[in-house]
Amino acid sequence: TQSTWGTHSRTNMISHPTKLLCFSIAIHTSSSLSVLGSLCIIVHSLSQKNLNFTKRLVVFLSTADLISAICINIGPFIRHSPRWCPIQGYILQISILATVFWICAIAFSLYNVSVKKSWQLETKEIWLHVICWGIPLVVSSLVWVFAAYGDAEYWCWISQDYPMWWWAAFYGILILGWIFSIFCYIKAHRSISSQLNEATDREIRDSLRSSASRRLSMYLFCFIFLFLWGILNRIVITITGHTYFSLALLHIMFVPSQGFANAIVYGNLWKRVRQICCKRSKHVIMGTTQTSVKVPKFSTPRARAIVARAALGNSSLAESLVPSYPSSLGSNDPTNS
């Protein structure tokens, strides 16, 4: 007998050889890019002597992305294995849900710094691990108890025979993560704009405000846009019982590429690649390897410090926009030039 959590009629599944080939190419290309992007961020970070808090968050996010991408990459090869497919689906569920939680943790970190003017979250990093790994583990284990892992048509995950678990164990949590992140970034944007108002140069002030807006928008766009196609595809499958090629292709193109996109948006992937592969003259600013930047002078120390930190423009955006005076930047403060 099958519970109400697992009543689903799988009809009109994609079976055309050419379409299946398109699926295979999309899955392995996007997931392989995510593996490479995540590895690049992790390898570069491990080569650094001291990682600040926000960079560690990016490493934890990249770790979850890496596990997810590997699972998705090997999933098509073991879809029909009654032994290995559920195990891979279980690991994928933990890692992809952890990705959602780590993205929310980064959003909350930025909110905590820019709105609450607090750095205490860094002292509670262990609790972030408990939440961002612990909750996915508990939720995924609950799905395991109901034996709901198996062939999800594209890879191994929660089986198509249990569509309600898609929503209870992942997509429902994902939507809550979207709402939470939108709230954090809107609040952070307002606070950042208010802080930048202290700069007396209107042109530079507007430029920095625009830059912060673009970066925050990129964070949200990456989080929402890539997962959106998976939600839309699963809604159609849940309601109609049919799989439509175009929507399914968008699903398997974008969802596995989450790790690659996160590496670009949060981890400054292209800069990391150049740092690993090329020898370039660098200056060390706030413990972070950066290219030399020119920072205009402003009439107030507070405004100058805000601009100096904003000019770093890397994954440490939360730290780069906290109001601080130049004296706190140390001997390498670019505003002293």
Side-chain angles (χ1 to χ4, degrees):
T1 60
Q2 197 171 44
S3 70
T4 56
W5 287 86
T7 56
H8 187 257
S9 175
R10 288 191 290 179
T11 60
N12 193 36
M13 292 179 63
I14 302 297
S15 58
H16 192 279
T18 303
K19 293 180 179 179
L20 290 176
L21 178 61
C22 290
F23 279 3
S24 179
I25 293 173
I27 290 172
H28 294 301
T29 300
S30 56
S31 60
S32 295
L33 286 173
S34 288
V35 169
L36 293 175
S38 300
L39 277 175
C40 182
I41 298 302
I42 293 171
V43 169
H44 177 269
S45 299
L46 292 177
S47 68
Q48 306 300 303
K49 292 183 178 180
N50 296 303
L51 287 180
N52 58 39
F53 177 61
T54 50
K55 285 189 174 294
R56 291 199 299 273
L57 293 182
V58 174
V59 172
F60 305 146
L61 172 61
S62 296
T63 301
D65 286 333
L66 175 62
I67 298 171
S68 298
I70 291 174
C71 287
I72 290 175
N73 211 319
I74 67 175
F77 300 109
I78 59 174
R79 275 178 52 200
H80 303 295
S81 170
R83 178 179 181 182
W84 295 109
C85 189
I87 295 175
Q88 186 258 286
Y90 175 66
I91 297 173
L92 175 58
Q93 168 66 10
I94 294 174
S95 57
I96 200 168
L97 199 54
T99 291
V100 173
F101 275 87
W102 282 116
I103 291 175
C104 291
I106 292 173
F108 181 66
S109 173
L110 177 55
Y111 168 83
N112 205 47
V113 169
S114 61
V115 179
K116 297 298 183 181
K117 310 297 187 295
S118 171
W119 288 89
Q120 293 184 359
L121 188 62
E122 183 172 357
T123 65
K124 301 176 182 178
E125 185 176 318
I126 184 64
W127 289 106
L128 288 179
H129 285 281
V130 171
I131 294 172
C132 295
W133 296 111
I135 294 179
L137 179 62
V138 171
V139 172
S140 302
S141 298
L142 182 62
V143 179
W144 179 273
V145 169
F146 284 83
Y149 293 111
D151 182 7
E153 187 170 358
Y154 317 121
W155 44 72
C156 297
W157 186 50
I158 300 174
S159 170
Q160 290 200 100
D161 293 325
Y162 297 87
M164 293 305 296
W165 278 114
W166 293 344
W167 303 99
F170 181 70
Y171 288 116
I173 298 173
L174 173 63
I175 292 172
L176 292 176
W178 284 353
I179 296 172
F180 178 79
S181 296
I182 290 172
F183 169 81
C184 288
Y185 286 134
I186 289 177
K187 287 288 189 179
H189 181 267
R190 290 176 179 174
S191 178
I192 290 167
S193 297
S194 175
Q195 294 168 40
L196 289 175
N197 282 337
E198 297 190 28
T200 57
D201 189 301
R202 180 177 178 181
E203 181 180 352
I204 298 298
R205 179 182 66 221
D206 292 344
S207 175
L208 289 173
R209 183 184 290 111
S210 176
S211 176
S213 298
R214 286 196 302 270
R215 187 169 291 274
L216 294 176
S217 298
M218 284 171 56
Y219 290 167
L220 278 178
F221 178 81
C222 178
F223 187 24
I224 295 175
F225 178 79
L226 297 181
F227 276 122
L228 177 63
W229 303 105
I231 285 186
L232 294 177
N233 187 39
R234 297 301 186 184
I235 287 175
V236 171
I237 294 175
T238 301
I239 294 175
T240 68
H242 291 256
T243 300
Y244 295 92
F245 174 74
S246 298
L247 190 55
L249 184 61
L250 290 171
H251 178 180
I252 64 178
M253 282 176 57
F254 287 116
V255 170
S257 64
Q258 185 75 41
F260 183 67
N262 286 341
I264 294 174
V265 173
Y266 293 98
N268 247 343
L269 176 61
W270 306 126
K271 183 176 293 186
R272 303 297 170 243
V273 170
R274 291 196 299 268
Q275 289 172 345
I276 291 174
C277 300
C278 307
K279 292 182 178 180
R280 298 179 61 189
S281 176
K282 302 289 181 179
H283 293 276
V284 176
I285 302 176
M286 290 175 59
T288 305
T289 306
Q290 297 288 339
T291 54
S292 178
V293 295
K294 272 193 173 182
V295 181
K297 295 182 181 298
F298 292 94
S299 61
T300 67
R302 187 185 180 101
R304 291 175 60 202
I306 292 171
V307 173
R309 289 170 176 260
L312 294 178
N314 58 15
S315 59
S316 301
L317 180 65
E319 295 180 50
S320 68
L321 291 172
V322 62
S324 179
Y325 289 88
S327 58
S328 67
L329 293 175
S331 60
N332 293 311
D333 173 18
T335 62
N336 289 331
S337 58

